[in-house]
Amino acid sequence: MKKTFHFVAFLAIISGLLFTTCVPTRKLTASKAKVEKLQRDSANSSSQLNDCNAIVKNLKTTNASMQNENALVQNDLKVLSTESKMTIADQAKRLKTLQDKIQAQKDVMGKLKNSIADALMNYKADELYVYVKDGNVYVSLEEKLLFKSGSDVVDPKGKEALKSLAQVLNSTNNIIVMIEGHTDNVPIKTNMFKDNWDLSTARAISIVRILANDFGFDSNRITASGKGQFHPVKTNETIEGRAANRRTEVILSPDLQEIYTLLYQ
């Protein structure tokens, strides 16, 4: 009986010790878990804080860069504005110069037209007439004043008209002269001229030679061309129309070199 009591008491003591030992172990495990969680949370918070610091640093760098770029842009705009104002001023000055030169040339051509009309005033309207077209002065000389039919030899009366014209041209600078021969559409074929192109060109060359060789006009400022029948001023269906088309035109043009220089410099 005594032995049984002692054994039961021993078991009770052992159970008590075991129970006492298990409780602190569970608490310790829970505490360790909390500590580990806090450590993880702390590590996450530290990482997030580092990320935030990096973002703030990048924002500061970006902001500084943007401020620098903005300053550069503002400076470029200021420079561009100044250059633009200079360019506009230069363009306005060039335009004014160009307008002045164009007006001066118009005035010269107007005076030239009047001078030629005065010099040739003794000739009839059906022999020649003077007019302005596209800024050029035209002196249209009819065939009856200059040539016999089918010929490129200038008649004496026509040569007198060319002499009066040359006196005006020789006193005028910066003028380019084009001599254009024209015919009607009646075909021609002779030993001298194969067609109307031949005839119109030969007549223009005859007048060039008289102006340059006989009356001293500058050969560098004069050109001859033949237009044949292809530029009529009136119908070729009537006698009067064909007579008007058989003409030689002296075209006086201003030298545009200065204007070209202003436009393309």
Side-chain angles (χ1 to χ4, degrees), residues 28-86:
L28 180 60
T29 301
S31 296
K32 287 177 67 177
K34 288 181 179 179
V35 169
E36 290 175 354
K37 184 176 184 303
L38 288 172
Q39 287 176 338
R40 288 195 300 272
D41 291 344
S42 176
N44 289 335
S45 297
S46 178
S47 177
Q48 291 176 359
L49 180 60
N50 289 336
D51 291 342
C52 288
N53 288 334
I55 291 172
V56 169
K57 184 178 180 180
N58 289 335
L59 286 173
K60 288 181 179 179
T61 302
T62 302
N63 183 55
S65 177
M66 290 180 65
Q67 287 180 344
N68 185 50
E69 289 182 4
N70 184 59
L72 292 174
V73 169
Q74 292 297 327
N75 184 65
D76 289 343
L77 288 174
K78 185 177 180 181
V79 172
L80 182 61
S81 177
T82 302
E83 291 179 350
S84 177
K85 289 178 181 177
M86 291 176 62

Side-chain angles (χ1 to χ4, degrees), residues 85-97:
K85 289 178 181 177
M86 291 176 62
T87 301
I88 292 172
D90 290 342
Q91 289 178 348
K93 183 179 179 180
R94 181 182 297 181
L95 179 60
K96 179 65 168 58
T97 303

Side-chain angles (χ1 to χ4, degrees), residues 103-149:
Q103 186 58 52
Q105 287 191 342
K106 286 182 178 179
D107 294 341
V108 168
M109 299 308 288
K111 291 178 180 178
L112 179 60
K113 185 257 184 185
N114 293 335
S115 297
I116 292 174
D118 290 342
L120 300 175
M121 63 184 301
N122 293 326
Y123 295 91
K124 298 177 182 178
D126 63 347
E127 292 176 327
L128 66 83
Y129 59 100
V130 184
Y131 63 99
V132 176
K133 179 182 177 183
D134 299 330
N136 301 319
V137 176
Y138 284 70
V139 183
S140 186
L141 305 163
E142 302 297 321
E143 179 189 60
K144 62 186 294 185
L145 175 63
L146 297 174
F147 305 103
K148 292 181 172 61
S149 178

